[in-house]
Amino acid sequence: MQQEQNELLQALYEGYQGALRYVASNIGIPYGEIDDIIQDTFCAYIRAYGDKLLEWNEAQRKSVLMRILKNRCADYFRDKSRNQNISMDTGNFGEEYQIPDQYILKDVLEHVEDREDLRTIQKCIKEMRPVWREVAILHFVEGRPVTEICQILKINSATCRMRISRIRKYLREQIGKK
């Protein structure tokens, strides 16, 4: 039975990857990202519906694959739009995204009095460990609630709250040093 499922999966991949590639490119996915999205589509298909591979007919398989692909494409564009405002890859971190006034007034950020303090905070965030940086940007810069951060980063709420607490302490220490 496992051999039969593997053969069916191989046939599905060979039979549908061209159509999935065509749909993804028509939706606007960049050429370099299409293979990753198609692979994610098949992985999600196997995870969610692997036990039904032999039960479904061809039309059911195709419609589920297409639905998963379209969801993966939507996720790609959502992630891209969420991450395009802040780039950690360039040296112009502070110039790419201005922190809105509504966020400057809360927690550690209420101590920001001039652009030098803002640069200090941006430098601190840029130099944080990646797991802290993600939380700092989502919570302090974007103002997202803990529940939403937990869903995005796939962490539990206690972990998220602990990271926020440690980030606050770290920022207080760094701002105090300047």
Side-chain angles (χ1 to χ4, degrees), residues 48-114:
Y49 307 107
D51 57 335
K52 296 181 173 100
L53 279 176
L54 299 174
E55 299 171 16
W56 286 354
N57 63 37
E58 202 67 25
Q60 288 172 313
R61 292 180 195 133
K62 183 178 181 180
S63 67
V64 170
L65 278 169
M66 287 297 175
R67 186 178 72 229
I68 293 171
L69 174 75
K70 289 177 182 177
N71 289 339
R72 292 288 183 241
C73 291
D75 291 344
Y76 170 82
F77 287 117
R78 187 173 26 255
D79 289 344
K80 185 177 178 185
S81 71
R82 190 178 295 142
N83 295 330
Q84 76 182 1
N85 293 333
I86 301 173
S87 172
M88 299 301 210
D89 297 332
T90 65
N92 299 333
F93 174 69
E95 305 307 319
E96 291 182 23
Y97 185 81
Q98 297 298 317
I99 297 176
D101 291 337
Q102 63 190 20
Y103 300 125
I104 292 176
L105 300 176
K106 63 190 232 186
D107 288 333
V108 174
L109 299 181
E110 68 189 12
H111 300 290
V112 176
E113 294 177 4
D114 59 27

Side-chain angles (χ1 to χ4, degrees), residues 2-16:
Q2 181 65 31
Q3 180 65 25
E4 191 176 337
Q5 276 186 321
N6 289 343
E7 290 172 3
L8 180 59
L9 187 58
Q10 182 68 30
L12 278 174
Y13 185 80
E14 291 171 0
Y16 289 118

Side-chain angles (χ1 to χ4, degrees), residues 111-172:
H111 300 290
V112 176
E113 294 177 4
D114 59 27
R115 290 196 56 81
E116 187 59 38
D117 287 339
L118 180 59
R119 285 189 193 108
T120 301
I121 290 172
Q122 291 169 334
K123 182 177 181 256
C124 291
I125 290 175
K126 187 176 181 180
E127 293 173 352
M128 283 180 188
R129 298 181 347 199
V131 294
W132 281 19
R133 186 180 321 127
E134 293 171 337
V135 173
I137 291 170
L138 291 171
H139 185 71
F140 294 109
V141 177
E142 295 182 12
R144 295 178 187 262
V146 171
T147 55
E148 191 174 336
I149 295 170
C150 293
Q151 289 174 345
I152 292 169
L153 299 178
K154 295 178 177 64
I155 58 176
N156 66 43
S157 61
T159 302
C160 185
R161 285 192 300 274
M162 181 57 73
R163 287 180 187 170
I164 289 170
S165 173
R166 289 178 179 163
I167 291 166
R168 281 187 183 126
K169 181 180 177 189
Y170 171 77
L171 288 175
R172 281 187 196 111

Side-chain angles (χ1 to χ4, degrees), residues 24-38:
S25 67
N26 281 344
I27 290 174
I29 301 296
Y31 179 77
E33 301 290 330
I34 291 176
D35 287 335
D36 292 339
I37 290 178
I38 291 173

